[in-house]
Amino acid sequence: MSALQDKLKGNWNIVKGELKQQYGELTDDDLTYEEGKEDELLGKIQKKTGKTKAEVKDFIDSI
């Protein structure tokens, strides 16, 4: 399991709240976490925010 997967699985409510504060355009539907579908989630966030996948990962890692 990657560090990103650990962070998403263990602290998802915190990460979700921080993402919504940083990127107000994200909705609960955009931020539905399903174990094993981390790349799909990052893709949704990336598409909605216009950020790169690396930028999204870096933001999540900083939380």
Side-chain angles (χ1 to χ4, degrees):
M1 186 177 292
S2 73
L4 178 65
Q5 288 172 316
D6 282 342
K7 179 160 266 193
L8 291 179
K9 186 175 181 182
N11 301 304
W12 179 238
N13 287 331
I14 295 167
V15 172
K16 182 178 174 179
E18 293 290 330
L19 284 165
K20 286 175 83 173
Q21 284 181 7
Q22 181 71 22
Y23 306 110
E25 62 272 20
L26 293 171
T27 66
D28 285 335
D29 285 343
D30 295 326
L31 298 173
T32 301
Y33 172 71
E34 293 180 53
E35 192 171 345
K37 294 191 175 185
E38 291 81 7
D39 283 337
E40 185 178 316
L41 175 64
L42 289 175
K44 285 185 200 178
I45 296 168
Q46 179 185 4
K47 183 177 180 181
K48 193 86 175 224
T49 63
K51 301 292 182 187
T52 66
K53 197 173 274 193
E55 288 173 316
V56 174
K57 282 183 178 181
D58 287 346
F59 179 77
I60 291 171
D61 285 341
S62 74
I63 298 171

